[in-house]
Amino acid sequence: MHGSAAPALLFALLLIALVVATVYLFAARRYAAPPPITSTAAQVAHQFNLTLYVMGAVFILAQFALAFAVFRFRDRGQRPRFSRGNVALEIFWMCAAFAIFIGLAIAGQHAWAEVQFTPAQPNAIQIEATTSQFVYTFRYPGPDGKFGMLHPRFVDAPAGNPLGIDPNDPAGRDDIVVPTLTVPVNRQVELLLRSQDVVHNFFVRELRIQQDAVPGMLIPIHFTPTRIGKYDIVCTQLCGLGHQTMHSFLNVVSEGDYEAFLARQEAQQ
Ligand SMILES: [Cu+2]
């Protein structure tokens, strides 16, 4: 087979076919994320696409270079030559990789800081989100605007007190406890994440937010949804045997529907 170009050509073409198939899957947006519903989520989506395009270009160039090398340097019966590499090229690769990674990190720091380092606005709607195996429970402070005290002693889901609201605390009497999250459109929401047992997670694709809930910690996150709709909330931490059933909904509704929701719930408490 010395000097035969066919196997090398076949292998090179196979590599190119794999690259084309991979690029097609992304370009056709077959597994695309749903559109973002907050300005921060739009920034995250933009950052994600930027990273995808830059790394996609590197991937395509590298695979084409490999296909070229496979064909160009195929076995022609020649003696192998030993190479110690090329210091100038090595330095160039390293600097290029460094520039790309640091550049992408700098481009993404604004979206990151907006979620992680910026506190919620003082007028944000505070809602508590408690995770437990394998449900989400949301609590609104009710008309008094104050959350009642919680104590593990009072936790009793069958009796209707899954969070353990202290019955002796007047601030807790009007608290609204529901299994799904309803929020008004175009208002900032501050979600206070808790966990009653193990590490869970609050993930909504349209918010581009994925935040762990850790026992013993109160983790605040905030977002301002700008599109009315019903979105999935899922747990992305393997939290036990029922993990795959851990699911809820984020309902983004109009201001009027939100008031009606609160009034309906208050009447039921
Ligand atoms: Cu979970």
Side-chain angles (χ1 to χ4, degrees), residues 134 199-201 235 237 239 243 246:
F134 300 96
V199 176
H200 295 277
N201 188 282
C235 176
Q237 289 287 7
C239 55
H243 160 69
M246 188 156 170

